[in-house]
Amino acid sequence: MSSTGSATGIGAPVRRKEDQRFITGKGRYTDDINRPGQTYAAFVRSPHAHANIKRIDTTAALNRPGCIAVFTGEDIARDKVGALFCGWMITSKDGSPMKAGTHPVLALGKVRYVGDHVALVVAETPAQAKDAAEAVSVEYEPLPAVADLATAQSPGQPQVQADAPNNTVYQWHLGDKAAVEAAFAQARHVTKIHLTNNRLIPNAIEPRAAIAEYDSGQDSFTLYTTSQNPHVIRLCLSAFIGIAPEHKLRVIAPDVGGGFGSKIFLYAEETASIWAAKKVGRAIKWTAERSESFLADAHGRDHMTTAELAVDGNGRILAMRVKTKANLGAYLSTFASSVPTYLYAPLLSGQYAIPAIYCEVDGVYTNTAPVDAYRGAGRPEATFVVERLVEVAARQTGHDPAEFRRKNFIQSFPHQTPVIMTYDAGNYAACLDKALELADYRGLSLRKAASERKGLKRGIGFSAYIEACGIAPSQAVGSLGAGVGLWESAEVRVNPTGSVEVLTGSHSHGQGHETTFAQLVSQRLGIPIEQVTVVHGDTDKVQFGMGTYGSRSGAVGMTAVYKAIDKVVVKAKKVAGFVLEVPEESVDFDEGIFSSKATNKTLTFPEIALQAYIAHKFTGAQLEPGLKEGAFHDPTNFTFPSGVHVCEVEIDPDTGTTRIDRWTAVDDFGTVVNPMIVEGQVHGGVAQGVGQALLENAHYDKTTGQLVTASFMDYAMPHAHDLPSIQIAMSSTPCPSNPLGIKGCGEAGAIAAPAAVINAITDALGHEDIAMPATPQAVWRAAQKSPARLAAE
Amino acid sequence: MYAFEYLRAESLADAAKQLASKPDAKLLAGGHTLLPTMKLRLASPGALVDLGRVAELKGIDKSGNALVIGAMTTHAEAADSAVVKSSIPGLATLAGGIGDPHVRHRGTIGGSVANNDPSADYPAALMALDATIATNRREIKADAFFKGLFATALQDGEIITRISFPVPTKFAYAKFPNPASRYALVGVAVAQTAGAARVAVTGAGNNGVFRHAAMEAALGKAWSAAALNGIAADAKDMVSDIHGDAAYRAHLVGVMARRAVAAT
């Protein structure tokens, strides 16, 4: 027996199995795949934010060399193909359903944002497809556009969707308004802040891509696509779009180069391509250019919020009141409606015992790209509200910000918040203590003085975040409007020689499931990790699954594997009973060895696997041959990762440059399967959070609706030199709602970081008047203002 | 990218001939502006004349009191050159701060100067150092060469061959990079020669690279960062965009100028 448990099991920093192929260029991404007779797609996109389409003339395009076909929205409509849709129904506070609007796959008479899909051109080569797309003549009647969230709901603004007066998708609320008002009336102190949660463009390294194929012999479709959840894509294309029944539609999401949420959704490009594949009778490949990714990938965040915190004379939080406008773009993307509602407001209690919370959210249409889930999805927005509010309240009431947090921490579990969630486990003070020590909080004043001597301003910022991961209990999300259940499935197939294939409905697009899932199997079955293969991302191989987002693959996906392993062990013990000639109940299985007190003989896992398949030691009447088990796991609760991140910045007031000098992350992810991978997730998350805080901003011109930041020349992604060395530590409490104790780690950094950075910058500046992104220009201007805390309102 | 004809020049004369042979031909040096522009279909030259193999355009030499850099010298070659480092060390530093390693190993001084991107680094150095741009036809002083946004004194068919920099007593360049593109949001080059001080600003001016007379006068009297206190640029001459408005850029011109002087 080679590597087992300790070397490659849960908790071991195993090097990623998949990296051999990724770093040697052997990864197989959608664009690496080519199908016989393949053609290429290009999309005609709207140059206008808002316009009527008067006429589309495809004659010249069809005459271009290599052009095979041009399809418009009317062609698709004629085929009675369904429209794109949003799968989560949100009900307004007046009881009315959200105004879901229309979302045709290709525009029907109207375009609603720059980059909107007008026509699909199919040609023999990518260049010919682009040439023909340019030759499609579209006569637009430009309309006034609404691209400013602040004013989009005002009377008289252009209407984005006909069924949504004042561009309002819904007016939703959560919490006890009366209790909150009563608490504010009694408060000694009220802190009120206005926040912008800036709009982001996800920018996965691999752009979206698709290959759509129709087999007339089988009357079946195959779609290769850059998806985080191929089964969900198949379900949508079958049940809602009507492309084909599920058994006639195979969706493959091969290696995927990053998603961050943007590859959860069903987009127009793959939908139009799979429909067109049958029309042209050949495979169609589409690969987004980076410019198209900027324009037409679902964007993230984009909130405007007013938030208030009521505090008593002892520095205890009494209540919170939040009012948010959330920009949802021109159409509702697949899960757009849920992000600023049920993925946002239920997290507003943070790590704090807050007796009463009331939150109102307006979902708003604008003539901009659809906005949907992006790393953290609602939870970064909530944490930014909570941790800015708490920080400002501490400063205004004269409390040390760390101690103000500690004073208000939830102390015992389970804890029912006033906003749906029941936190099951955590130790917030332990994380804070460790963070204060690692960040050398005591030495801060000396470091501040040293910076001052250099003409620089130093500040420290805390972010004590919480998130809800392990998405999600199906019954709970169903009661909140979700159109699907959010369980996960797994199948564990043991081969006769004892190697194992794990089929999972989770999807790895950077998370390292091929390693971490194999670690679980290695530990449970006592076999070398090399003997385990993880299969995912193909609806013909994996029966069903809900995919990967919301840090769910460990807590939900691996638990499904865990349950399937349980069943494998039960069956294997039965086999062992026959082979060892002992009662099944007396068989023990530990570290890969089957034994029994009733005999001196032992058997290894591969020996039992072989016995299960040769079936010589038992009759068919006694036991079925083979060793293969499946399980579905539906979680009983969300998981609640938490932690404290501490950011220390040094600002050059002459230029406005913010340098992050120190970063301390103390996280409670529950059980850590692979600490190396988890640290990588923290690094990536912090990088994206720092990007949001300091650099990134999707900027639309308010009048024209043109995307100004439509390339990396203007959209500032974080570079390596923008980031500090990150000190990471764990302070874990196991999650009680799954057998592995896993909470999830994929989004934590992105959730924690923005508030930590802005709290540090405002500490350095001595006032609160700075918005994200805190660019050099913004910080320079803020540094001109005299330090003065916002007066309590 | 639209289809185009690729032509490779074997000599300077060959390059001139090929360039003249096609009405819509363009020279290809490092291609780090031209090729992305073509990929975005914003430029569609019918032919490209690749200068990559023209030996006459390469090399770095000291000639009398001048540092001479061939037009096809890459930024990485200039940054690593012992000759550049010993004669004008601040110029080597400037070259080593252009773009990223990929850009520095393809992009060339001749390409940068010919393109005269208003946010490029080299034009400020050429102006501050009173450099001379040699072409296949003539020599042009930097002051007369740069003529606004992406505009130069180059005529049709004219090919930059080398840049000649009189070695100054002091030179430095301080850049404040655009957070997104890393081009200069503001870059200031300062040079001291036996006779005078010269200051050139890139990235900021709404008519491209320019010399700053007030700063030159102040530094002519006293070469110190303090001599520049209170001198900025006029905001009305500055570019305004989402990364920096005119007031911010005008302020940064002063900051970067003082930092450049302090670095000499």
Side-chain angles (χ1 to χ4, degrees), chain A residues 131 134 652 654-655 777, chain B residues 2 41 182 245 248 251 259:
Chain A
D131 287 347
E134 283 183 2
D652 176 351
D654 272 354
T655 61
Q777 170 173 234
Chain B
Y2 296 105
R41 297 190 157 202
R182 313 303 294 172
D245 63 18
Y248 180 53
H251 165 77
R259 290 186 182 181

Side-chain angles (χ1 to χ4, degrees), chain B residues 2 12-13 46 99 107 110-111 121-122 133 141 164 171-172 174 184 197 200 202 212 259:
Chain B
Y2 296 105
L12 184 58
D121 300 310
Y122 265 131
I133 297 103
K141 298 288 271 183
S164 176
F171 173 79
T202 188
H212 197 302
R259 290 186 182 181

Side-chain angles (χ1 to χ4, degrees), chain A residues 631-678:
Chain A
F632 286 73
H633 174 63
D634 197 358
T636 54
N637 193 359
F638 292 84
T639 66
F640 297 96
S642 64
V644 173
H645 284 220
V646 187
C647 168
E648 204 168 305
V649 300
E650 203 174 45
I651 290 172
D652 176 351
D654 272 354
T655 61
T657 304
T658 299
R659 185 179 70 84
I660 299 176
D661 185 43
R662 293 167 167 237
W663 196 285
T664 306
V666 179
D667 295 295
D668 180 352
F669 297 140
T671 300
V672 169
V673 177
N674 183 322
M676 181 194 72
I677 287 176
V678 166

Side-chain angles (χ1 to χ4, degrees), chain A residues 127 130-131 134 291 652 654-655 657 695 699 708-709 712-717 719 721-722 776-777 780-781, chain B residues 1-2 39-41 176 178-183 241-248 251-252 255-256 258-259:
Chain A
K130 284 191 76 168
D131 287 347
E134 283 183 2
S291 306
D652 176 351
D654 272 354
T655 61
T657 304
L695 296 157
H699 182 95
V708 177
T709 52
F712 291 127
M713 290 294 283
D714 288 306
Y715 188 88
M717 292 292 279
H719 294 69
H721 66 78
D722 294 313
Q777 170 173 234
W780 171 72
R781 195 146 277 134
Chain B
M1 192 178 277
Y2 296 105
K39 283 183 180 175
L40 290 167
R41 297 190 157 202
F176 192 85
N178 177 313
S181 69
R182 313 303 294 172
Y183 274 85
D241 60 24
I242 58 170
H243 305 290
D245 63 18
Y248 180 53
H251 165 77
L252 280 181
V255 176
M256 290 299 117
R258 288 194 294 277
R259 290 186 182 181

